Amino acid sequence: MNQVRELQSISHELLYLGIDGTPIYTDRFCQLNTEVFRLSESLFDRKGETDEEEASLCLALLMGYRATAYSDSNKEAKIQGILDRAFIVLDHLDDSVLKCRLLLSCYDEVFDEELIEEIRRIVDGWGGGRQLSSEEGTVVEALKELEAVSYTHLRAHETSQ
């Protein structure tokens, strides 16, 4: 599972490289791309021993293939295979941050609003006046960003008609 966490970490770094305003250096970009692609390829045929391990693996692979600039002839088929695995394991996961993160990652590939509704349902259950964990807060922020983008696209579509 160390490789799965490593893939998630460097995929996240690659996905958000330069977003904080720091310069993007070509050598670092190439290094991250190479490492993300290598790890994604090495983990692709693995399966998790538990539902949570499988969900973490699917999440890491979706992040990795989305983040990398490399594209081989079967990248889309691999992503579809990971999505198929993810949709199976999602039905077996308890409501959790991991489930929300996997739902978000699947949404980034298929844009199915039912996935967003499932995240909303889970997030609504986190209420009760307690302080959200930092991971829960990250999910809530990602959901707000998606809703803002969806609202902006909907408004643009309505005004163009």
Side-chain angles (χ1 to χ4, degrees):
M1 289 304 285
N2 286 338
Q3 284 184 311
V4 172
R5 282 190 291 277
E6 181 182 1
L7 179 56
Q8 286 180 2
S9 176
I10 61 174
S11 294
H12 184 271
E13 182 180 351
L14 182 58
L15 283 166
Y16 294 97
L17 193 64
I19 205 161
D20 61 356
T22 59
I24 300 172
Y25 296 101
T26 305
D27 58 338
R28 181 65 179 150
F29 178 76
C30 290
Q31 176 190 19
L32 287 172
N33 260 299
T34 300
E35 187 63 13
V36 167
F37 184 74
R38 184 193 66 74
L39 272 172
S40 296
E41 290 293 294
S42 72
L43 292 171
F44 180 76
D45 289 323
R46 292 203 188 159
K47 303 284 188 237
E49 292 181 19
T50 66
D51 291 334
E52 288 74 19
E53 285 180 7
E54 179 69 0
S56 291
L57 181 57
C58 289
L59 175 62
L61 288 168
L62 286 172
M63 290 173 67
Y65 283 115
R66 183 174 49 253
T68 187
Y70 296 117
S71 183
D72 60 12
S73 61
N74 60 352
K75 182 177 179 178
E76 291 303 316
K78 287 179 179 178
I79 291 171
Q80 185 58 56
I82 298 162
L83 287 168
D84 293 344
R85 290 168 54 185
F87 288 129
I88 290 169
V89 78
L90 280 166
D91 289 336
H92 301 282
L93 292 175
D94 292 333
D95 292 350
S96 64
V97 170
L98 174 60
K99 185 173 186 175
C100 288
R101 290 182 65 212
L102 185 55
L103 286 163
L104 284 165
S105 199
C106 290
Y107 178 83
D108 285 343
E109 297 296 332
V110 300
F111 306 107
D112 183 342
E113 287 296 318
E114 288 181 21
L115 301 174
I116 298 302
E117 289 303 318
E118 178 72 4
I119 298 166
R120 281 188 192 112
R121 184 191 61 73
I122 294 169
V123 167
D124 288 347
W126 292 343
R130 71 172 176 83
Q131 180 77 22
L132 294 180
S133 72
S134 63
E135 289 181 324
E136 289 170 336
T138 300
V139 168
V140 170
E141 287 305 311
L143 181 59
K144 285 179 184 176
E145 288 175 19
L146 279 177
E147 290 172 334
V149 168
S150 294
Y151 178 77
T152 302
H153 286 203
L154 178 64
R155 296 295 298 154
H157 178 72
E158 288 175 351
T159 58
S160 68
Q161 291 182 347

